[in-house]
Amino acid sequence: MAQLTAVLDALKRSQITASQFILSILTQHQYNEHPVVRDLLLHSPDILTAFLRHSRRNHELLQCSTRFVQDSYLRELREVASKDSGWHFGALSALEP
């Protein structure tokens, strides 16, 4: 794996960790169309699976993922339930069966 060693050496020479590199390239908008970002996004399910299979931190990642999904659902429910969406439900408009 000489290529992997070269990448790890380049990160070390640049004094940047792998996590700093990934977080920076994914959060700085000027890199949105960069091939590395496209590749990370394309393979994100595989990357998350690899993280979950890693025995050291999988419980924390699972908890974080669960919170993320719950927050996403909550945001979606609030949006759908808002008056602006046209689907607002109120007790005054409910009918008894």
Side-chain angles (χ1 to χ4, degrees):
M1 283 266 172
Q3 293 171 329
L4 184 56
T5 301
V7 170
L8 294 173
D9 289 344
L11 287 172
K12 187 175 182 178
R13 280 192 310 276
S14 300
Q15 297 181 333
I16 185 171
T17 65
S19 61
Q20 289 170 328
F21 170 73
I22 290 171
L23 289 170
S24 294
I25 199 164
L26 288 176
T27 57
Q28 294 182 23
H29 298 291
Q30 68 263 31
Y31 298 114
N32 281 353
E33 298 302 319
H34 194 281
V36 171
V37 172
R38 288 184 187 163
D39 182 68
L40 285 170
L41 294 175
L42 179 66
H43 294 97
S44 59
D46 300 325
I47 295 167
L48 287 173
T49 299
F51 274 122
L52 285 170
R53 287 185 179 157
H54 200 280
S55 61
R56 290 183 58 191
R57 304 292 292 227
N58 63 356
H59 182 70
E60 289 178 38
L61 181 61
L62 190 57
Q63 285 181 327
C64 179
S65 299
T66 300
R67 281 192 307 273
F68 177 78
V69 170
Q70 288 172 339
D71 290 347
S72 295
Y73 284 151
L74 187 57
R75 267 193 315 276
E76 292 289 327
L77 284 170
R78 284 185 179 139
E79 187 176 311
V80 169
S82 74
K83 288 183 180 181
D84 295 336
S85 73
W87 287 88
H88 184 69
F89 173 82
L92 291 175
S93 62
L95 299 174
E96 193 173 319

